[in-house]
């Protein structure tokens, strides 16, 4: 027999329910579609794969999608790596790798 279902009434009084985060979701979707439609986005000027840039953009995409759909991990390290602030850090790293290097 299945256990009792969780309902809004059974949650603790102060618990906030996660919601969609539009800006993060938009960043994640744009990076997902942009990298799929235009793969040279992840390459250097010579056309070779730029692994550092790809890592930063894929981190921004992953964090944007995870936070954007409203999922907030419980473990503090994952919570930070997939937060809205992590999206900004990853985008800044990607911009630095793309335009400064």
């Amino acid at each position: 027999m299945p256990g009792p279902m969780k309902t809004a009434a059974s949650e603790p009084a102060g618990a906030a329910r996660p919601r969609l985060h539009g800006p993060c979701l938009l960043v994640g979707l744009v990076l997902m579609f942009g990298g799929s439609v235009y793969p040279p986005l992840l390459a250097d000027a010579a056309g070779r794969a730029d692994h550092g840039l790809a890592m930063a953009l894929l981190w921004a995409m992953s964090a944007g999608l995870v936070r954007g759909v409203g999922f907030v991990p419980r473990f503090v390290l994952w919570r930070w790596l997939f937060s809205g602030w992590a999206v900004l850090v990853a985008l800044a790293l990607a911009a630095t790798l793309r335009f400064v290097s």
Side-chain angles (χ1 to χ4, degrees), residues 2-100:
M5 293 183 57
K6 280 193 158 191
T7 62
S10 67
E11 292 179 5
R17 296 193 60 163
R19 301 181 322 193
L20 287 177
H21 192 262
C24 287
L25 185 58
L26 181 64
V27 168
L29 290 173
V30 166
L31 289 174
M32 181 178 64
F33 289 121
S36 297
V37 172
Y38 189 67
L41 177 70
L42 306 173
D44 62 11
R48 294 183 308 261
D50 186 343
H51 294 91
L53 177 64
M55 184 236 11
L57 288 175
L58 292 175
W59 175 28
M61 179 192 74
S62 300
L65 292 173
V66 168
R67 178 63 185 101
V69 299
F71 182 71
V72 179
R74 290 184 185 190
F75 184 58
V76 69
L77 176 64
W78 301 136
R79 190 178 319 139
W80 189 87
L81 286 174
F82 295 111
S83 68
W85 292 109
V87 174
L88 289 176
V89 169
L91 287 176
L93 176 62
T96 302
L97 292 171
R98 179 66 149 188
F99 300 115
V100 176

